[in-house]
Amino acid sequence: MAQLLKQSVKLALIQLACTADKSHNLSHARTKVLEASKTGAKIVVLPECFNSPYGTKYFPQYAEQLLPSPPTETQSPSFHALSRLAREAGVYLVGGSIPEKEASGKKLFNTSLTFAPSGELLASHRKVHLFDIDIPGKITFKESDVLSPGNKITLIDIPEYGKIAVAICYDIRFPELATIAARKGAFLLLYPGAFNLTTGALHWELQARARAMDNQVYVGLCSPARDMSAEYNAWGHSMVVGPNAEVLEQLDEKEGMCVQELKAGWIEEVRKGIPLYGQRRFDVYPDVSAGIAGEGR
Ligand SMILES: NC(=O)CC(=O)C(=O)O
């Protein structure tokens, strides 16, 4: 049987210090992505909302339409900066996420764009599950006050390496998305995400390891660095987890970068030892991946 990850590849997660200045965030991301590419990383990931503060009052102000053609560059600065950067660095760039304004201008989304080393847009993922929570005395957040949800699972076929899945932050709490992506052959689940000091301490590592353990795949979570002067304090702790749910690397809360080699053959080795894949009982419960098309764009 063919290996899910066709050849070993270095993954870099950039835990970026994000500010309220969009053009600074874009140029700082460029510096860090170029630094990541010098380590030999071929898949590079930025955090959720890396070009804007994370907060519902900021999304309308920072949102961009995603217009690929040249005369519209001023309307889509992040789209163009990420595309150019993927080409300049020669990497597959999972551009964290940015607030997106739909063409009609009516709806806003939290959207992740993935570019090939040619600069071509390979996929866009709109956060499917919006972050609406209310933990008394701790944190209340309601993305759905201003954002609309996406409606697809995003699987991206990278010819040299295999399939990866991209989803955003709160999406990780819904294991169906991960299971469907893994059953459709993903070797890596990537989540740009910004948990906070309450939910980060409770669930960040647990979620990453659970998705890896359930599906026996690699998982990467990429957070912004923590900024205690911002209204929303990100947890940080970007991490790479292996298919045995082993934490390969985890940062603290400060700006930094995880660079890890994902090893071809390791997923198959893990699945040989604990052969969940041949032991499922679809005669007892349904296959959640049946009939669902994972799409790139
Ligand atoms: N920010 C999010 O989307 C999710 C989060 O912080 C959590 O699930 O906790």
Side-chain angles (χ1 to χ4, degrees):
M1 205 181 143
Q3 291 183 150
L4 290 183
L5 171 55
K6 296 176 192 171
Q7 56 172 317
S8 299
V9 60
K10 260 193 193 170
L11 168 69
L13 309 177
I14 298 175
Q15 185 161 296
L16 197 73
C18 305
T19 69
D21 178 343
K22 190 193 274 194
S23 54
H24 169 80
N25 293 335
L26 292 174
S27 72
H28 190 44
R30 174 175 174 271
T31 304
K32 292 292 170 188
V33 170
L34 292 175
E35 203 178 303
S37 74
K38 292 206 180 82
T39 69
K42 295 295 178 208
I43 302 175
V44 179
V45 187
L46 288 166
E48 180 177 28
C49 273
F50 79 94
N51 72 350
S52 126
Y54 187 62
T56 49
K57 76 173 188 217
Y58 299 106
F59 297 149
Q61 184 191 335
Y62 283 75
E64 300 176 21
Q65 282 186 31
L66 306 180
L67 302 169
S69 312
T72 58
E73 175 139 6
T74 48
Q75 289 164 273
S76 309
S78 304
F79 181 100
H80 289 277
L82 290 169
S83 165
R84 267 196 309 272
L85 181 51
R87 202 167 53 233
E88 185 181 4
V91 298
Y92 289 94
L93 180 59
V94 179
S97 79
I98 62 173
E100 178 203 346
K101 193 188 306 171
E102 182 186 57
S104 73
K106 289 204 185 101
K107 284 187 179 172
L108 303 179
F109 299 92
N110 184 342
T111 302
S112 179
L113 302 171
T114 298
F115 293 89
S118 63
E120 181 204 355
L121 178 70
L122 287 181
S124 100
H125 177 81
R126 289 169 167 169
K127 192 173 190 173
V128 171
H129 304 92
L130 296 180
F131 180 46
D132 287 358
I133 65 163
D134 182 15
I135 307 176
K138 299 280 189 190
I139 177 168
T140 300
F141 203 99
K142 200 154 180 244
E143 276 190 323
S144 67
D145 278 344
V146 297
L147 298 182
S148 297
N151 56 13
K152 71 168 177 68
I153 290 172
T154 302
L155 261 184
I156 307 165
D157 201 357
I158 301 185
E160 304 94 299
Y161 304 116
K163 289 182 188 153
I164 65 170
V166 175
I168 302 173
C169 203
Y170 201 55
D171 283 335
I172 199 174
R173 292 186 181 270
F174 300 86
E176 291 87 345
L177 227 57
T179 299
I180 291 166
R183 294 228 182 113
K184 293 196 173 294
F187 68 87
L188 170 65
L189 311 176
L190 286 174
Y191 299 92
F195 275 34
N196 48 78
L197 303 192
T198 301
T199 63
L202 283 169
H203 297 148
W204 175 259
E205 179 177 331
L206 199 57
Q207 290 287 343
R209 297 187 66 198
R211 296 298 82 79
M213 180 191 68
D214 290 345
N215 299 295
Q216 300 174 304
V217 292
Y218 286 100
V219 171
L221 267 55
C222 186
S223 170
R226 189 176 305 165
D227 173 3
M228 289 311 289
S229 69
E231 278 166 48
Y232 185 92
N233 310 124
W235 177 238
H237 292 264
S238 296
M239 62 195 302
V240 183
V241 179
N244 239 341
E246 69 279 36
V247 177
L248 298 174
E249 185 173 358
Q250 176 166 193
L251 299 179
D252 59 15
E253 75 287 359
K254 297 186 285 300
E255 184 166 80
M257 198 183 293
C258 286
V259 181
Q260 283 295 317
E261 180 167 77
L262 313 187
K263 293 196 170 40
W266 179 228
I267 290 176
E268 288 72 19
E269 200 59 34
V270 167
R271 290 183 183 184
K272 204 152 72 180
I274 306 179
L276 305 179
Y277 268 67
Q279 296 171 331
R280 291 228 149 73
R281 293 289 309 277
F282 296 135
D283 56 327
V284 175
Y285 46 79
D287 176 356
V288 289
S289 69
I292 296 188
E295 307 167 38
R297 282 175 206 262

